[in-house]
Amino acid sequence: MTEPQLESGGDPTTGAHGILPPIGGGTDPHAAPGKKRRFVDLAPLTASPAFARLWIGNAISGIGAQMTIVAVGLQVFDMTASTMMVALVGGVALLPMVVAGLWGGMLADAFDRRLVLMLSSLTGWLAVLGLFALSSWDAALIADGQRAEVWPFYVLTTINTVAATISGATRSAVTPRILPTHLISRAAALNGIAMGVMLTVGPAAAGVLVATIGLPITFAVDAVLFTAGFLGIVGLPKLPPLGTVARPGLASLLDGVAFMRQAPNIRMSFIVDIVAMTFGRPFALLPAVGAVAIGGGPVTVGVLTAAAAMGTLLASLFSGPVAHVHRHGLAVSRAITVYGGFVALLGLVILAMTLGWGGPVGQDWSQVSWVALGVACLAFAGMGASDEISAIFRSTMMLTAAPDDMRGRTQGLFMVVVAGGPRIGDLYAGAAATLIALWAPPLFGGLVIIVLIAVLTRAQRTFLDYDARTPTP
């Protein structure tokens, strides 16, 4: 069938998330009269085979990518026993990732987006193969009482991050070219399901694989799964630029900056996400949490990370009424505020365990505190669900309010926020945990999120008043 194009028309109505209470009301003109869908809408998968192939391939390869994220953290912690060194995995990649986001967005606006996806994905796959080789070398050295150097892991992780940033920006910019406008918010919800599967299966599998058969095999599994992403990319049609081509360079970047200056709603969506990710990113703490706070070692790391993914998955599964909420800015504000509350809850759990309220714990799974683990899982699930609700609204705002010739650069900036915010958060978490205590980053960070979101959104009322029926950047 002919792939639907954004420029061919369609209803600009965009949606919201079924978990939040209705904000603004309204109905989906494409839905059956009198019916409100409760579960996720699969229409994007049937409307566009290209989107379906890309979505499936990304979901499978993403499982391996999440395995590697967890495995790298465990590898570095095993080699250094330092939470700060784990946090530096993201910190070292921050500046290259920022450059990659900006440059990758320009590439997506200037060249065939299918070609950009293929080259960036191939680069990421080669970096994963390098991590497998390094981890295997380290395992061989352990037998001789030695360890490999840590810095090559930072280098390869940075290369992988750069490739993933370019791929992510380009993939997002592809969606409006292969789907009609009224299905964009549904696609965002489906992407949330894919992310939920990645974050549920990947970290849990990584924890089990690392604990049973070791780190090298974990990286090898990612290398195998990575190939699935190529199938989705190969199945895309050619996606050359539409209209005037903005060649990558300073002029193209300045055009993007000028657009963002005139796009207060998109700009604020970036700012509130940076706040949430900077002060609400506790994942760098998990190796230490599994070792000395809650207990359970690597398995606990996988379980807690998977709990966040389960929240993401459940939020996406119940995203059926995506066309009934139009006040996207208000919805984002509420979702991130709830996110901050769950982050603070995690801090309280770690504080209670630090004070000895949960009894002795250890690295072995039999030495875990089940009560603390249960509450921590609830906190992570809440973080995953509220973050996914925010993500659905924010991504829909960007894809519908920005013109096609700016989508690559807008998504490049978005990838800088999405990938850069957590890395700043990792540095904040590592520094605060080192200088104060393990419980300090999430407890203080959650409270800071709640306060800053209230101040920022009230200072810019246009964000709270944003109406998806008349999308304005």
Side-chain angles (χ1 to χ4, degrees):
M1 63 180 289
T2 302
E3 304 300 342
Q5 300 291 316
L6 175 65
E7 56 270 24
S8 66
D11 184 353
T13 302
T14 53
H17 206 288
I19 290 181
L20 281 179
I23 304 172
T27 58
D28 181 2
H30 300 272
K35 292 185 179 181
K36 290 186 178 181
R37 181 183 294 273
R38 183 180 299 274
F39 296 102
V40 65
D41 192 343
L42 301 180
L45 299 177
T46 57
S48 172
F51 174 79
R53 290 189 293 267
L54 186 65
W55 184 80
I56 293 171
N58 184 52
I60 295 173
S61 63
I63 291 173
Q66 295 303 317
M67 289 173 57
T68 287
I69 290 174
V70 173
V72 167
L74 292 171
Q75 176 87 54
V76 172
F77 190 76
D78 180 63
M79 298 172 72
T80 65
S82 169
T83 296
M84 190 62 198
M85 293 296 285
V86 175
L88 283 175
V89 173
V92 169
L94 179 58
L95 182 58
M97 181 276 307
V98 170
V99 174
L102 298 175
W103 193 259
M106 290 188 286
L107 292 176
D109 283 340
F111 298 102
D112 185 336
R113 289 172 181 169
R114 177 176 177 266
L115 178 61
V116 175
L117 270 178
M118 292 182 67
L119 294 178
S120 58
S121 297
L122 178 61
T123 302
W125 181 61
L126 292 174
V128 171
L129 289 176
L131 288 170
F132 164 67
L134 275 176
S135 185
S136 299
W137 174 244
D138 180 66
L141 289 176
I142 291 176
D144 297 329
Q146 303 178 52
R147 299 302 298 263
E149 295 287 341
V150 176
W151 67 264
F153 286 95
Y154 291 150
V155 172
L156 287 174
T157 302
T158 298
I159 294 173
N160 194 25
T161 299
V162 166
T165 301
I166 297 174
S167 294
T170 307
R171 186 180 293 108
S172 297
V174 162
T175 301
R177 293 281 295 275
I178 58 178
L179 280 175
T181 305
H182 72 275
L183 292 180
I184 298 299
S185 59
R186 282 80 157 170
L190 283 169
N191 288 335
I193 289 182
M195 182 60 67
V197 171
M198 297 175 201
L199 293 175
T200 301
V201 179
V208 172
L209 288 175
V210 170
T212 54
I213 57 179
L215 285 158
I217 299 300
T218 305
F219 291 117
V221 172
D222 178 20
V224 173
L225 295 179
F226 211 108
T227 58
F230 289 114
L231 299 179
I233 296 170
V234 170
L236 286 172
K238 291 184 177 181
L239 298 167
L242 299 176
T244 303
V245 176
R247 293 297 177 184
L250 181 59
S252 176
L253 179 60
L254 291 177
D255 285 345
V257 172
F259 171 75
M260 290 302 298
R261 287 177 178 172
Q262 302 170 7
N265 293 320
I266 294 178
R267 188 172 64 243
M268 181 55 69
S269 74
F270 289 176
I271 293 172
V272 294
D273 191 43
I274 289 173
V275 169
M277 294 298 98
T278 297
F279 297 103
R281 177 74 180 178
F283 293 95
L285 306 175
L286 291 188
V289 168
V292 300
I294 293 178
V299 178
T300 291
V301 175
V303 168
L304 291 178
T305 310
M310 185 58 67
T312 299
L313 181 59
L314 290 174
S316 299
L317 285 174
F318 288 92
S319 64
V322 293
H324 301 293
V325 178
H326 306 296
R327 298 283 297 281
H328 286 188
L330 179 58
V332 169
S333 174
R334 290 182 179 181
I336 296 180
T337 299
V338 172
Y339 181 88
F342 280 114
V343 172
L345 174 61
L346 176 66
L348 289 174
V349 173
I350 299 173
L351 174 60
M353 294 301 297
T354 302
L355 295 174
W357 292 0
V361 297
Q363 280 270 21
D364 191 81
W365 181 241
S366 63
Q367 298 173 299
V368 70
S369 171
W370 292 104
V371 174
L373 181 62
V375 179
C377 283
L378 174 64
F380 271 97
M383 283 187 278
S386 54
D387 183 53
E388 172 58 15
I389 294 170
S390 169
I392 289 176
F393 296 132
R394 286 184 289 106
S395 62
T396 303
M397 288 172 67
M398 284 181 290
L399 290 175
T400 56
D404 184 77
D405 62 354
M406 280 292 171
R407 285 199 183 110
R409 279 163 284 183
T410 301
Q411 290 301 317
L413 288 171
F414 176 62
M415 289 304 299
V416 170
V417 173
V418 168
R423 282 159 178 77
I424 296 174
D426 288 345
L427 291 175
Y428 157 76
T434 301
L435 297 174
I436 306 175
L438 195 60
W439 53 264
L443 182 55
F444 293 152
L447 298 177
V448 169
I449 290 171
I450 294 172
V451 172
L452 283 181
I453 294 303
V455 172
L456 289 170
T457 55
R458 280 162 179 75
Q460 185 182 307
R461 294 295 307 182
T462 59
F463 184 73
L464 294 180
D465 294 336
Y466 178 91
D467 192 323
R469 290 166 293 191
T470 55
T472 54

